[in-house]
Amino acid sequence: MSTPQATARLQLHAGFTLDDACAQVDYYADLGVSHLYLSPITRAREGSTHGYDVIDHAVVSPELGGEPALLRLASAARARGLGLVADIVPNHMAANPANAWWRDVLAQGPASAWSAYFDIDWHPPAPALRNKVLLPVLGDPYGVSLEHGAITPQWDDDAPAPELEVHGQRYPLTPSSVPRGAERQAWLREHDPAQPAGRQHLHALLERQHYRLAWWRTAPDQINWRRFFEISELVGVRVEDEAVFDAVHALVLRLVAQGVLDGLRIDHIDGLASPGGYLRRLSARLAEAGASRPAALRQDQPYLVVEKILGPDEVLDPRWLTDGTTGYDFMDQVGALLHAPQAAEPLRAFWHALTDDGREPGEQLRAARVRMLARHFPAERQALVRCLEQLAARDLRTRDLTATAIDRALSALLAAFPVYRTYADDAGRSPADAHWRAVAVRGAATALAAREGSADAALLAQLAQWLDGDASDPTVLRRFQQLTPPLAAKALEDTLFYRYGPLLSRNEVGASPDRFGLSAEDFYDACATRARTHPRAMLATATHDHKRGEDTRARLAVLSEMPDRWLELAGGWIDALPGGITRADRYMLIQTLIGAWAPAWGADPSGWAPDALQAWLDRIAQWQEKALREAKLHTSWTDQDPAYEAAAKECLTWLGQDAEGRRVLAGIADFALELAPAGMVNTFTQTLLRNTLPGVPDLYQGTDLWDFSLVDPDNRRPVDYALRAALLAETSREAVMDLAAPAWQSGAVKQALIHRLLLARQRTPAPFTGGVFLHLRAEGSQAGHVLAFLRQHEGQTALIVGSRLCALQVQGYARGEAEQARAFWGDTALRLPEGGPRLSLHDALTGRRIRAASGDVLPLADVLRDGPAALCLSA
């Protein structure tokens, strides 16, 4: 079957190749997934740990084993009934001389056959960059780098022409800049940077190239090509051009046609000039490829999902030809579902007191956007301003508008833009686009204090008209729609979520700082919409980009059920930590320590293994450094403050080595272990919903056991597959709730839960493929803590029951005290709908049969007799 029923995401790199993935086919098949979902397989920059820095779209990465290894993996997977889905990167490539397309552009400039493949402005305002590419790769200003010998000519004995070496990278020279018949040794002496005359000749040589070497700090202000976000090592690709599209997709379409791949995941769809047009073209090509597949694999259209961040009130563009998103929206929704909304106010008040900043998160986000526009994307912003100025000059009614005025209004509009982007591409504008533009205009008017009828209000209205997709210049529209996505991501995910932390479990990719909790009704509505519009969308709770692991978030969510006690304890620990960093940074560190403490570790320092503790503290230190630099408040990647960063590290050294610090850490650990069982209850709910609600459940590598990881690279650490295979073999015949305490500590109980849920989907597939999807409301004193959904199709029934916002009250399930936990449910019961199942139900997690007590009533104490989750199937 080519349509995924459940996927497992694998991160490929030189340390975990396609053959390594092949060795785990049996494990994932036994676990119950249907498809392995691979990170990018095309050739990436040497040593890449993720594969998104592609240098050749036409070959399977040799570092991963090449195409022969991919074919071995596909064959082994098919033998166990599994398929393959691959991640592809159409938006960008590595701006690296190992990239043959990019290298030719550097050598030939606009005359290169590949020059139109990249988003390069060959005619920027700066005369020094006319027909040149800015290369911001120098560690120091250009003159200093030249004097210090950081730029050196190289001419290998067997090489036909010389090159330039800069920080270990070799760059080509345009052929016309090297005299025909030049003698190697004489040429090298002439351009010797160790001699003043040599530096002059070397500088003159550099001036004749189609690139301009520059200090890395010049990139934000001078870059004349589109980057991926603000990463100057990744260059934007013009995949909207048909020739570029064909070159980028030839390999993967061939692999689909051959039956090697069953589907594709599109990375960063919002970076493309025309996502809708791209998906129409790709869907047509996939259909052609699908028609050529082996006969046994032609049942379904190849699977196609997109990486897309949706705002809280945003839906996937209905014009897009896709099976749905990769699941960030579900990850946010299920996370919000597990947070008690009444805790939002005290947590935010505590945070405001810590920071002495009472601004609402929306205002703080706007401030982050303003910073990003001013310091990180000024070149992109000014390029858009110039285009708008030229557009204004074409109309007598707007020709008096100045660049300064346009920039002021545009910056306010961008700072207020509420979603990643609009999609007024070749399919025309949409009502959703008009809505988000109107929201942005209102926000910009407020920021500018632009009263109705004022000049600023008129200019904002004019901007909105220019950007509506009908009256706009295509270049203006493209630049605007390709600027808002990186601005949104860098301002929210990579700035605000590191500087705003009332509760870090709500600071996640896909989340909004304005939405703390989600009601069961709103959660159901979101799931019902997904079932109606994109029933094959992915459901994820962990990804290679998450800020903290799914079980870290589930544990921290418990704090929303006990905000008063939590804040009292947190205040004491904040005061106890060394004061070299702010109280806010200490608070975020404490949350991280509590969320990531391993449940198998005790709270007695005498029992801590020194090496394991230090390794864990080193991981925390790595997170802390990234968090502080991303926040950009006291240090940053571009302007590091060594003293502040050293003070932050001293907190961890104190906790790990000082006697008083270890006493404080023991108190934090004791509280983390107190929370752990309740966090596991939340995990059960989260795992149950991911694997049973409408959509395709996606399992991120390693999260089949407890996932207390932190932001990358921590969430991409090696996975112990031997341990997982052994645990699965031990537990595969036991009821989930019969597993003893060691299984709860190791995470084997979570693995067993996933296994039973996926097995149930295989054995009783109909309810999970369509039909009726209903939210059942409970009756009784604890009705507000019940989650219950009914799925029915082709005569088969699945009743899904879990708990929410009562993890502390029912944590006995995770402590071997099920009798105490089920007493919580008291008189609470589910009433099955009229015309619903009146037959015996079978709980896939315990093996028990469950019957209605009287007519159509199911007591919760019976349904959840042994654990906090149940999947009841028609017997």
Side-chain angles (χ1 to χ4, degrees), residues 573 594 603 608 661-672:
W573 288 322
I594 285 170
W608 298 342
R662 287 170 70 85
R663 186 191 67 79
V664 171
L665 183 57
I668 292 173
D670 185 61
F671 183 65

Side-chain angles (χ1 to χ4, degrees), residues 755-765 768 844 871 873:
H755 178 227
R756 302 311 187 281
L757 294 173
L758 294 181
L759 198 63
R761 290 180 67 107
Q762 290 179 353
R763 292 175 174 174
T764 314
F768 303 102
L871 173 60
L873 304 171

Side-chain angles (χ1 to χ4, degrees), residues 18-19 21-26 29 36 68-84:
L18 291 160
D19 282 321
C22 191
Q24 304 310 324
V25 165
D26 285 340
L36 300 181
L70 178 63
L71 296 178
R72 288 192 293 273
L73 173 60
S75 177
R78 200 70 71 193
R80 287 299 313 269
L82 271 61
L84 301 180

Side-chain angles (χ1 to χ4, degrees), residues 283-637:
S283 294
R285 300 293 177 84
L286 280 173
E288 294 172 4
S292 301
R293 288 163 67 81
L297 301 176
R298 290 183 201 160
Q299 309 99 307
D300 306 298
Q301 170 84 353
Y303 190 57
L304 179 60
V305 288
V306 296
E307 183 194 31
K308 164 64 184 160
I309 307 295
L310 293 168
D313 299 316
E314 186 183 13
V315 298
L316 200 61
D317 194 316
R319 299 171 296 179
W320 287 9
L321 300 180
T322 176
D323 287 303
T325 74
T326 55
Y328 293 124
D329 44 341
F330 178 81
M331 184 161 71
D332 171 52
Q333 291 155 6
V334 75
L337 180 73
L338 298 177
H339 285 73
Q342 62 269 22
E345 195 53 43
L347 288 168
R348 286 174 178 164
F350 181 77
W351 178 259
H352 291 158
L354 282 181
T355 60
D356 195 26
D357 185 348
R359 292 177 299 168
E360 290 299 309
E363 180 58 23
Q364 295 191 44
L365 177 58
R366 195 192 74 82
R369 282 173 164 264
V370 168
R371 178 193 168 109
M372 297 306 300
L373 285 167
R375 300 191 189 184
H376 298 258
F377 297 113
E380 291 86 351
R381 190 189 84 243
Q382 289 298 334
L384 177 54
V385 168
R386 289 193 297 273
C387 289
L388 286 166
E389 186 181 21
Q390 293 166 7
L391 181 60
R394 298 175 199 162
D395 191 327
L396 297 180
R397 294 168 297 179
T398 57
R399 74 175 192 178
D400 292 334
L401 289 175
T402 65
T404 301
I406 291 173
D407 191 13
R408 184 179 66 251
L410 175 66
S411 295
L413 187 72
L414 288 166
F417 209 76
V419 290
Y420 262 54
R421 61 171 284 172
T422 57
Y423 302 95
D425 56 14
D426 57 346
R429 60 185 177 180
S430 72
D433 289 344
H435 169 72
W436 298 123
R437 274 194 305 274
V439 171
V441 167
R442 289 195 297 270
T446 299
L448 294 173
R451 70 182 187 283
E452 187 175 353
S454 67
D456 279 342
L459 179 49
L460 287 171
Q462 182 63 67
L463 287 176
Q465 181 182 342
W466 279 334
L467 298 169
D468 76 352
D470 281 354
S472 179
D473 176 278
T475 302
V476 167
L477 187 61
R478 175 178 57 81
R479 285 192 178 276
F480 177 77
Q481 293 188 146
Q482 288 184 309
L483 173 55
T484 56
L487 175 61
K490 297 303 294 183
L492 178 59
E493 296 166 27
D494 293 341
T495 301
L496 186 65
F497 277 166
Y498 288 105
R499 59 167 62 170
Y500 178 78
L503 196 59
L504 292 181
S505 45
R506 290 302 295 134
N507 288 15
E508 195 47 83
V509 181
S512 165
D514 290 316
R515 182 162 77 179
F516 184 79
L518 191 68
S519 70
E521 289 75 16
D522 288 343
F523 178 77
Y524 166 71
D525 288 344
C527 293
T529 297
R530 187 180 297 110
R532 185 173 62 254
T533 63
H534 297 93
R536 304 201 303 177
M538 278 187 174
L539 306 182
T541 50
T543 75
H544 62 287
D545 282 331
H546 66 232
K547 305 297 184 188
R548 46 197 53 81
E550 63 184 38
D551 301 314
T552 304
R553 299 194 306 270
R555 183 186 295 173
L556 290 176
V558 178
L559 298 176
S560 71
E561 298 181 29
M562 49 181 293
D564 294 339
R565 182 172 173 232
W566 157 241
L567 295 178
E568 181 180 357
L569 289 170
W573 288 322
I574 289 169
D575 291 338
L577 285 173
I581 58 176
T582 66
R583 291 171 63 80
D585 285 338
R586 280 177 268 164
Y587 178 56
M588 287 198 279
L589 173 60
I590 290 164
Q591 292 184 66
T592 301
L593 295 170
I594 285 170
W597 188 262
W601 294 1
D604 183 355
S606 65
W608 298 342
D611 290 346
L613 176 65
Q614 189 56 52
W616 182 75
L617 288 173
D618 289 344
R619 289 172 49 207
I620 301 294
Q622 188 178 48
W623 160 82
Q624 185 183 55
E625 178 182 83
K626 181 168 185 173
L628 293 174
R629 291 180 180 179
E630 294 283 14
K632 308 170 189 70
L633 293 174
H634 308 289
T635 186
S636 69
W637 295 108

